Amino acid sequence: MRVIRVGTRKSQLARIQTDSVVATLKALYPGLQFEISEFSGKELFLVRQIGEKSLFTKELEHALEKNEVDLVVHSLKDLPTVLPPGFTIGAICKRENPHDAVVFHPKFVGKTLETLPEKSVVGTSSLRRAAQLQRKFSHLEFRSIRGNLNTRLRKLDEQQEFSAIILATAGLQRMGWHNRVGQILHPEECMYAVGQGALGVEVRAKDQDILDLVGVLHDPETLLRCIAERAFLRHLEGGCSVPVAVHTAMKDGQLYLTGGVWSLDGSDSIQDTMQATIHVPAQHEDGPEDDPQLVGITARNIPRGPQLAAQNLGISLANLLLSKGAKNILDVARQLNDAH
């Protein structure tokens, strides 16, 4: 029986996400065996705090490169829009709720960010969330909180420092912690990160066998939304060291993309929305192309036209924001963040 080796980080959430993808693959390919290997990611932890998300995935990519694993499951928002040579995202699974959620300290259960007392401290490790929420909820103080989901919840519950913390709804749901979600933030309060709520399967770009194997996991609507989002971020030259956020929706053959950039304190921002006519395609068999990657993603079983249209939408919106002065806001945010 052929064995497919899957790499994952050691965190509980990473393992849950990997297990869910492997369960789907097992159901699709009962004749294959799947083996999961856990990698600590320890040596990369300090690097990650600088804000370079791509460095967090290095250890797993090293295992992919050395042929120790065949595929790696990631939160798509952690994967850079330009992958190192030799790698590609071979599947983007159906997106879960992409919005951010507020988890309150037990003594504030039943509150919302609006009704928290003056000067309450809210924890978030994300510049994107802090910039948007500071602007909206000026009576609150936003402070950095580090660690995985378990660590952050423990800090919230056991220490008296934080009144609430902001986390991705999808992560809380995957962990089975639905009951801790006190408030879900809507796009007008806080737009989400590029790719948030979706899982990406990273593989070797030249491994056609594995690409074919995981390609069936592509969810066409999620794929097109995420191509638009990633193209927007890439064209802005944003990364996780600057506050960039998006919101996408697919309705009646139209893909709507809203994107924004913020100064670190949220006082300055530029946002806009564009749309393009894109019909969500059914999967189909497609011949190989010379360079099938778009923003790091390979989806040969989805028609090329809608993918290109989604990418062009992202680039067009980025150009619109750049023409309105987004580069200056991002440059200043980057300099300030690098100075810390």
Side-chain angles (χ1 to χ4, degrees):
M1 196 183 249
R2 186 175 170 202
V3 177
I4 306 295
R5 298 148 310 157
V6 183
T8 180
R9 291 208 323 275
K10 269 200 173 119
S11 83
Q12 189 184 351
L13 179 60
R15 185 60 200 241
I16 286 171
Q17 293 179 165
T18 301
D19 286 347
S20 75
V21 170
V22 168
T24 308
L25 287 170
K26 275 182 175 165
L28 288 165
Y29 304 107
L32 296 178
Q33 202 177 329
F34 292 85
E35 256 173 34
I36 300 176
S37 304
E38 292 187 350
F39 293 80
S40 71
K42 276 279 194 298
E43 74 223 51
L44 307 172
F45 192 69
L46 288 172
V47 187
R48 174 195 181 214
Q49 294 186 356
I50 301 166
E52 268 267 31
K53 278 225 174 103
S54 54
L55 292 171
F56 202 44
T57 59
K58 283 284 193 298
E59 188 184 13
L60 288 161
E61 279 169 348
H62 184 71
L64 255 182
E65 195 173 28
K66 294 272 174 287
N67 246 329
E68 291 165 18
V69 297
D70 300 306
L71 57 109
V72 178
V73 178
H74 301 275
S75 293
L76 185 62
K77 70 178 166 89
D78 291 342
L79 282 169
T81 55
V82 180
L83 294 184
F87 302 104
T88 189
I89 299 164
I92 293 181
C93 307
K94 189 171 172 58
R95 188 176 221 165
E96 292 199 31
N97 186 328
H99 299 284
D100 289 316
V102 189
V103 179
F104 293 91
H105 185 281
K107 70 178 178 209
F108 291 118
V109 167
K111 295 268 189 203
T112 63
L113 288 181
E114 201 142 7
T115 58
L116 276 177
E118 191 83 21
K119 296 272 181 283
S120 291
V121 175
V122 177
T124 173
S125 58
S126 154
L127 299 173
R128 169 188 62 80
R129 290 170 183 150
Q132 292 181 81
L133 295 171
Q134 258 165 278
R135 186 185 175 110
K136 204 89 185 159
F137 304 100
S138 52
H139 69 295
L140 302 175
E141 194 185 315
F142 292 88
R143 257 185 231 159
S144 179
I145 184 170
R146 296 277 171 202
N148 61 31
L149 280 186
N150 306 59
T151 306
R152 290 185 209 188
L153 275 180
R154 197 164 55 246
K155 283 181 181 174
L156 171 69
D157 291 344
E158 293 174 9
Q159 300 169 8
Q160 297 307 309
E161 184 183 356
F162 299 102
S163 301
I165 58 175
I166 317 288
L167 299 165
T169 305
L172 288 162
Q173 288 178 338
R174 289 184 188 125
M175 295 285 274
W177 293 337
H178 308 72
N179 63 328
R180 292 304 307 261
V181 176
Q183 180 182 2
I184 288 183
L185 297 171
H186 298 293
E188 46 285 357
E189 297 168 308
C190 189
M191 289 199 285
Y192 42 82
V194 165
Q196 185 159 311
L199 298 179
V201 182
E202 189 180 19
V203 300
R204 289 178 290 274
K206 297 257 189 292
D207 195 337
Q208 198 50 55
D209 221 18
I210 298 292
L211 271 167
D212 291 343
L213 183 92
V214 301
V216 295
L217 297 174
H218 271 304
D219 175 66
E221 181 179 317
T222 303
L223 171 76
L224 296 174
R225 286 171 63 188
C226 291
I227 285 176
E229 293 173 16
R230 285 171 66 83
F232 169 71
L233 180 66
R234 181 195 275 191
H235 201 68
L236 279 177
E237 295 184 352
C240 55
S241 60
V242 287
V244 175
V246 293
H247 171 61
T248 46
M250 202 63 137
K251 205 174 165 201
D252 304 327
Q254 295 286 313
L255 175 56
Y256 296 86
L257 170 64
T258 302
V261 303
W262 285 261
S263 57
L264 288 188
D265 65 358
S267 60
D268 214 354
S269 83
I270 298 174
Q271 297 171 56
D272 221 314
T273 302
M274 289 181 90
Q275 68 193 81
T277 303
I278 298 177
H279 293 285
V280 177
Q283 293 205 11
H284 73 140
E285 293 303 314
D286 204 352
E289 296 178 43
D290 290 343
D291 182 19
Q293 280 201 42
L294 291 183
V295 283
I297 300 162
T298 301
R300 287 179 171 154
N301 55 340
I302 305 287
R304 188 78 169 166
Q307 293 187 58
L308 288 168
Q311 178 179 252
N312 290 338
L313 176 63
I315 291 170
S316 299
L317 184 63
N319 281 330
L320 178 62
L321 264 56
L322 289 168
S323 74
K324 292 181 169 189
K327 188 174 180 347
N328 188 41
I329 292 179
L330 291 174
D331 286 346
V332 172
R334 204 173 274 120
Q335 285 158 9
L336 284 171
N337 192 45
D338 291 347
H340 278 296

